[in-house]
Amino acid sequence: MSLETLLGWWSGLAFVARPLPLPTLLGTMVILHLCDAFICRVIAVNNGRPPRSWFLIGLVGGVWAVAVLLLLPSRAAPRPDA
């Protein structure tokens, strides 16, 4: 398995894009993982989970962390907005 293939599946880009050259893949992967980390943080806050921990998990795990977080049951009711 090549590095490009591994990173493509890790980032989730293999589902939506043809194989990308390594520099393009790395840049896109960084942006996607940052977006996934913010999504994990928002979902974690709404589901009563620690947002900082899930931000870091989302930063490393990307789309896979978002999927896991969506499948986990909620711990508490969402906090009402002020």
Side-chain angles (χ1 to χ4, degrees):
M1 178 182 285
S2 69
L3 179 62
E4 289 87 355
T5 303
L6 177 68
L7 293 177
W9 285 107
W10 180 26
S11 67
L13 286 171
F15 293 116
V16 295
R18 65 185 195 283
L20 300 170
L22 188 58
T24 305
L25 178 64
L26 289 175
T28 306
M29 192 173 157
V30 167
I31 292 169
L32 282 177
H33 278 248
L34 282 171
C35 292
D36 290 334
F38 283 113
I39 291 169
C40 280
R41 184 187 183 287
V42 169
I43 294 171
V45 166
N46 289 331
N47 287 341
R49 300 194 178 276
R52 288 183 186 152
S53 298
W54 277 101
F55 181 87
L56 293 175
I57 293 168
L59 195 58
V60 173
V63 70
W64 304 108
V66 174
V68 167
L69 191 55
L70 287 173
L71 292 175
L72 288 174
S74 181
R75 282 191 173 174
R79 291 188 277 172
D81 292 331

